[in-house]
Amino acid sequence: MPLTCDHLLSAHLDAWDAATIHPFLTQCQEGSIRPAQFNIWLVQDYRFVTEFTRFLARTLAAAPDQDLDILLSGLQALQDELNWFREKAAERSLNLNTPRQLTCQIYCEFMGSLVNAPYAVQATALWAIEYAYNQGWQLPGPMPAPYDEFADRWGNSGFTDYVNLLAQQADAALAIAPAPVQQAAEEAFLRVAALEQDFWQMAYSAEM
Ligand code: HMH
């Protein structure tokens, strides 16, 4: 039986919960997050998304013809997202040239390390990265302003549809992948889960 995204989730429930359930998100939902901590996340996530854009572009470069349409829509959404991050940072007078924290750097290096990985591995990692935010921002329930705008960016139904299509594309690639590639995809999934957990935690351990 080929590996699927559903199987990865059910085989690694604890790792996935740790990636998507965190006090950072709960405190956004309660409106009790300290603005300084939220701002650390915001700046670091902008820095992450710039590298994630490059990762998506490299994944697109390796994709079969039938996957190009969805991946191009993802790149277009990231163009909007990067501009949105710049607006949010300007509203809060945040400097987006702030150096990357170690956790952000490690996550970006991991995405870079997948440059020569088989497409099935890249597609699985891409899905996991997007699904982590799709779930993480939705699970706590409706958020108060100003966090509702952030929750909606990754929790809205259009983004949810996009993530489901990414899962279908990853599943199709995994279905024709040899066993060692499926194993590499599982390792990439677990790596994403661990890095997502660290990324939330970064808002609490980092200095501005
Ligand atoms: C850390 N993971 C992190 N940041 C993001 N913006 C996404 C995933 C997007 O899905």
Side-chain angles (χ1 to χ4, degrees):
M1 264 233 316
L3 186 65
T4 63
C5 294
D6 268 349
H7 171 85
L8 286 171
L9 291 169
S10 54
H12 304 293
L13 280 178
D14 289 351
W16 197 249
D17 279 357
T20 54
I21 300 170
H22 192 277
F24 181 92
L25 291 162
T26 321
Q27 288 171 4
C28 286
Q29 198 270 328
E30 289 167 351
S32 64
I33 187 91
R34 285 184 25 231
Q37 286 172 334
F38 190 80
N39 291 345
I40 290 172
W41 166 80
L42 181 64
V43 170
Q44 293 295 315
D45 209 50
Y46 170 77
R47 302 297 314 268
F48 171 87
V49 172
T50 60
E51 284 309 310
F52 177 65
T53 301
R54 297 185 172 96
F55 167 68
L56 176 54
R58 290 190 296 264
T59 301
L60 180 140
D65 292 357
Q66 69 267 19
D67 289 4
L68 293 178
D69 194 54
I70 304 298
L71 298 177
L72 283 167
S73 77
L75 273 180
Q76 193 168 0
L78 284 179
Q79 179 183 23
D80 175 70
E81 184 162 306
L82 287 166
N83 286 319
W84 173 80
F85 264 110
R86 290 181 197 112
E87 272 172 39
K88 295 300 112 187
E91 286 170 14
R92 293 166 178 262
S93 307
L94 301 175
N95 176 11
L96 288 176
N97 293 320
T98 305
R100 285 181 300 180
Q101 297 283 339
L102 185 60
T103 296
C104 182
Q105 227 169 294
I106 291 171
Y107 204 159
C108 292
E109 277 161 20
F110 165 68
M111 289 189 289
S113 77
L114 296 178
V115 60
N116 290 318
Y119 176 68
V121 177
Q122 295 173 326
T124 302
L126 173 62
W127 159 74
I129 292 168
E130 295 288 43
Y131 190 51
Y133 263 39
N134 179 241
Q135 283 225 302
W137 283 102
Q138 273 188 92
L139 287 175
M143 294 197 185
Y147 308 113
D148 54 342
E149 186 182 347
F150 293 83
D152 187 58
R153 169 151 290 272
W154 292 286
N156 75 73
S157 62
F159 190 73
T160 303
D161 292 345
Y162 169 65
V163 175
N164 285 330
L165 292 167
L166 292 181
Q168 287 175 23
Q169 294 190 163
D171 285 352
L174 288 166
I176 53 169
V181 172
Q182 296 190 31
Q183 198 182 324
E186 184 156 19
E187 281 160 19
F189 171 82
L190 286 170
R191 197 75 210 288
V192 167
L195 288 163
E196 287 290 333
Q197 180 181 7
D198 292 350
F199 207 92
W200 296 125
Q201 193 56 38
M202 184 175 55
Y204 295 85
S205 39
E207 305 285 322
M208 258 311 248

